[in-house]
Amino acid sequence: MAVNSIGMLVKVYAEAIEEIDKGVIEAIKATGGSQFQVIMQGVLPTIMSAFISWSVFRFDVNIRYAAVLGIVGAGGIGWELVRASRVMAYDQVLGVTLVIFGMIISMEFLTRYLKKRSDVVSAKAAS
């Protein structure tokens, strides 16, 4: 999972960096901005939204993969779900299911919060 996630994230991060509007960078350089200022005021606000959304998306996918892999015998939270269902401990099955559901829902709320925050920062940087 780690190799797959890192490979995918590197690819989408590189694409996000390639899609930066060159006009913003040129404008900062034209006003005498240093390389550090170009990165902090031009590059980071532009790519931060994509970085956050892709990172959280990949984490969410990995949570789901971990549950499925555990069900088929690779361990982790899915293994706990299978173990509890085999011994008919349905209260534990419900608990593990609620933990998985809670992790996915909390990641969804975190994504929305970080996306809004990133959009506010980008809007301030653009003005």
Side-chain angles (χ1 to χ4, degrees), residues 1 11-12 25 30 48 54 56-57 60 62 68 70 72 76 79 82 88-89 93 102 104 106 111-112 115 117 124:
M1 274 189 341
K11 181 179 185 285
V12 295
I25 294 172
M48 195 55 65
W54 278 108
V56 174
F57 169 74
D60 181 49
N62 285 344
V68 171
V72 297
W79 174 252
V82 169
M88 295 183 198
V93 171
I104 292 170
S106 63
T111 303
R112 288 184 186 180
K115 196 90 156 107
R117 185 157 168 83
K124 285 182 182 179

Side-chain angles (χ1 to χ4, degrees), residues 21-94:
D21 183 17
K22 304 294 186 221
V24 174
I25 294 172
E26 291 173 8
I28 295 172
K29 285 182 180 179
T31 59
S34 66
Q35 187 67 22
F36 180 73
Q37 289 171 327
V38 168
I39 292 170
M40 295 305 288
Q41 298 296 320
V43 175
L44 282 181
T46 306
I47 62 175
M48 195 55 65
S49 178
F51 274 35
I52 290 170
S53 60
W54 278 108
S55 298
V56 174
F57 169 74
R58 196 62 212 182
F59 185 69
D60 181 49
V61 168
N62 285 344
I63 290 172
R64 295 167 197 241
Y65 282 177
V68 171
L69 285 172
I71 290 173
V72 297
I77 196 162
W79 174 252
E80 289 299 319
L81 185 64
V82 169
R83 184 200 55 78
S85 66
R86 283 185 183 158
V87 296
M88 295 183 198
Y90 297 118
D91 57 334
Q92 292 178 5
V93 171
L94 178 62

